Amino acid sequence: MGTFYNTKDLSLTQKIELLRDCKEAGYTWWIDKLDCSVSTSRQHIDMDFEEVIKKFDYSAHFSVIDRKYSPSDAVKCFEIGFRTMGIVDYFLWIWVEDEKMQNILRKYNLQPR
């Protein structure tokens, strides 16, 4: 469940800047790797943030989502990240509290889809 935000008008440079802003404002982030020659499940990996950013390009699936985890749950946060599309896929996940994300939404003029 969640509301997706429109990011199609952002340049690659703006998306990378947004990812860095979200990492700074966020309360957690991590990277998963999917290498189907090893496993059909994503594996959590230890990789530097700037290293995974180097893998981000226009072919990556990029998303900004306002999440609420269950109808009865008051926990709400934004999930920002991407998935590379290659032989080996990398996933970056960043979680940002709603309050902090509002400034980022305004900065990039992001609107719900």
Side-chain angles (χ1 to χ4, degrees), residues 35-53:
D35 182 346
C36 290
S37 70
V38 176
S39 172
T40 57
S41 298
R42 292 187 309 243
Q43 305 296 314
H44 177 75
I45 62 169
D46 185 25
M47 179 184 279
D48 183 71
F49 184 82
E50 291 303 320
E51 191 64 31
V52 78
I53 290 294

Side-chain angles (χ1 to χ4, degrees), residues 5 7 20-25 33 35 39-40 45 49 54-55 58 80 92 95 101 103 106-107 109-110:
Y5 279 73
T7 61
R20 287 186 175 122
D21 286 349
C22 289
K23 178 186 176 274
E24 290 304 311
K33 177 180 175 180
D35 182 346
S39 172
T40 57
I45 62 169
F49 184 82
K54 291 177 187 172
K55 298 180 181 303
Y58 278 112
I80 302 90
L92 171 64
W95 286 358
M101 191 63 192
N103 292 329
R106 281 189 292 279
K107 178 178 178 180
N109 194 31
L110 295 181

